[in-house]
């Protein structure tokens, strides 16, 4: 059983066959899905999905790309959304100096606001950091203690080491299967197994062989397979350890006594 810790099933790319995609994920052994909000509306749609499916949980957040539109109203709305059931993280949030779709100054304001919210609710953060290592670290270090996951890791060895020292978790997507991703595969060798999580970032980043097509949670098995090859351990071990990591990071608690088979306990304040 695998956990896809980062996907965007609320995106319009899934409008035609969302239920089929989710059913396929289940039939291919996906135990839980964490659907990540990247806007207010996206976070709302994500919460709808997690109400509909007991194995889908939500993160509530606004992507740094959207930072120019962030205002007091959005801040209040996010704060209220993040208090709903089955919200297990704040994100995605962070800095993107690669695309710079929003002003860097506004990205920082949004990032700080979401860090504050996460700390208030004692929820972990899902971090997006692209070509913004120095500022990401500076902001997170000043905010410590925080519990964070650096998603779709794309930094260098120095950034990785600092993140690991701060106790952060690291997740990789299907892009580790790309022919040119030797640098990422080398970094995976340096991430201890007990800090690794798996994700697809669907609909983006389909695995090698399926590139150009829409990605989906069932493809998280490609990430597990590649990591098992790189770390020279069995896929079963990768699945078991990364699923345990995800359950503890997002505080997903499997209470077999619960009537639906899955229980969720909000972390203590
Ligand atoms: Ni994402």
């Amino acid at each position: 059983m695998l956990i896809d810790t980062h996907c965007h099933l609320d995106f319009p790319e899934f409008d035609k066959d969302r239920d089929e995609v989710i059913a396929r994920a289940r039939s291919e052994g996906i135990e839980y899905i964490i659907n990540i909000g990247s806007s207010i509306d996206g976070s709302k749609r994500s919460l709808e999905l997690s109400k509909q499916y007991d194995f889908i949980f939500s993160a509530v957040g606004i992507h740094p790309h959207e930072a120019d539109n962030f205002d007091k109203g959005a801040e209040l709305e996010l704060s209220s959304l993040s208090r709903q059931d089955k919200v297990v993280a704040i994100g995605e949030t962070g800095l993107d100096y690669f695309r710079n779709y929003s002003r860097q100054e506004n990205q920082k304001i949004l990032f700080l606001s979401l860090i504050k919210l996460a700390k208030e609710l004692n929820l972990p953060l899902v971090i997006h950091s692209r070509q913004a290592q120095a500022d990401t670290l500076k902001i997170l270090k000043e905010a410590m203690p925080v519990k964070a996951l650096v998603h779709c890791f794309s930094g260098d060895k120095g950034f990785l080491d600092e993140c690991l020292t701060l106790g952060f978790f690291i997740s990789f997507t299907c892009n580790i299967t790309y022919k040119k991703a030797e640098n990422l595969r080398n970094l995976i060798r340096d991430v201890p197994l007990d800090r690794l999580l798996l994700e697809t970032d669907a609909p983006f980043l389909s695995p090698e062989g399926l590139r150009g097509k829409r990605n989906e949670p069932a493809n998280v098995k490609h990430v597990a397979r590649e990591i098992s090859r790189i770390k020279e351990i069995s896929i079963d071990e990768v699945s078991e350890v990364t699923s345990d990591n995800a359950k503890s990071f997002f505080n997903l608690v499997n209470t077999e006594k619960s009537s639906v088979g899955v229980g969720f306990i909000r972390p203590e304040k």
Side-chain angles (χ1 to χ4, degrees):
M1 296 290 265
L2 296 165
I3 299 181
D4 184 358
T5 64
H6 192 118
C7 63
H8 304 280
L9 292 172
D10 55 287
F11 278 28
E13 282 87 340
F14 295 106
D15 280 353
K16 281 191 184 146
D17 59 350
R18 187 170 286 108
D19 291 331
E20 285 164 44
V21 168
I22 293 169
R24 191 154 50 236
R26 283 300 266 183
S27 70
E28 298 207 17
I30 307 301
E31 186 179 9
Y32 294 111
I33 290 171
I34 316 291
N35 197 76
I36 307 290
S38 44
S39 65
I40 298 261
D41 285 344
S43 297
K44 283 182 187 163
R45 288 194 296 271
S46 182
L47 282 165
E48 287 304 315
L49 279 174
S50 53
K51 273 179 201 138
Q52 203 183 333
Y53 293 97
D54 60 4
F55 52 90
I56 298 182
F57 292 86
S58 284
V60 163
I62 300 182
H63 198 282
H65 289 341
E66 313 286 328
D68 282 348
N69 302 317
F70 183 63
D71 58 14
K72 197 71 204 167
E75 186 170 45
L76 289 171
E77 202 164 2
L78 267 191
S79 163
S80 110
L81 288 174
S82 61
R83 283 160 222 270
Q84 293 200 26
D85 285 347
K86 296 187 78 181
V87 174
V88 292
I90 298 298
E92 54 191 295
T93 182
L95 302 170
D96 193 311
Y97 296 171
F98 176 65
R99 303 253 183 228
N100 275 318
Y101 287 154
S102 283
R103 290 174 55 205
Q104 296 187 359
E105 197 185 313
N106 290 339
Q107 294 189 36
K108 287 183 200 167
I109 292 170
L110 172 59
F111 190 20
L112 285 168
S113 164
L114 288 179
I115 291 173
K116 189 169 159 256
L117 180 61
K119 293 186 76 160
E120 215 173 283
L121 297 174
N122 196 17
L123 287 172
L125 285 158
V126 176
I127 307 288
H128 171 107
S129 176
R130 199 149 181 221
Q131 290 195 9
Q133 303 181 154
D135 280 358
T136 303
L137 275 175
K138 184 169 181 283
I139 288 173
L140 286 170
K141 275 183 183 168
E142 281 166 13
M144 290 301 281
V146 291
K147 192 175 173 190
L149 157 64
V150 183
H151 114 88
C152 192
F153 192 86
S154 67
D156 60 23
K157 174 83 165 82
F159 183 54
L160 176 66
D161 288 343
E162 294 239 40
C163 289
L164 291 171
T165 304
L166 292 169
F168 298 164
F169 283 71
I170 311 291
S171 69
F172 290 94
T173 70
C174 303
N175 67 357
I176 63 169
T177 63
Y178 297 173
K179 291 193 180 85
K180 283 186 179 165
E182 200 50 49
N183 57 328
L184 284 179
R185 288 188 284 271
N186 282 329
L187 289 173
I188 288 170
R189 296 190 174 93
D190 294 326
V191 181
L193 203 52
D194 64 2
R195 295 288 190 86
L196 259 181
L197 296 176
L198 314 180
E199 61 162 305
T200 58
D201 206 12
F204 310 112
L205 299 171
S206 280
E208 190 65 48
L210 297 169
R211 290 185 76 170
K213 296 210 173 114
R214 181 190 66 181
N215 202 3
E216 62 176 66
N219 288 336
V220 81
K221 61 180 180 281
H222 293 263
V223 187
R225 192 184 303 138
E226 191 62 34
I227 288 176
S228 98
R229 201 185 60 76
I230 294 166
K231 289 201 169 288
E232 298 176 342
I233 53 176
S234 69
I235 293 186
D236 284 350
E237 189 177 356
V238 174
S239 310
E240 197 178 315
V241 178
T242 57
S243 293
D244 283 351
N245 294 344
K247 285 174 194 169
S248 107
F249 181 81
F250 293 106
N251 205 25
L252 314 176
V253 180
N254 195 345
T255 53
E256 275 155 26
K257 287 170 210 135
S258 144
S259 55
V260 287
V262 174
F264 172 63
I265 298 167
R266 187 174 265 284
E268 280 179 35
K269 299 270 154 70

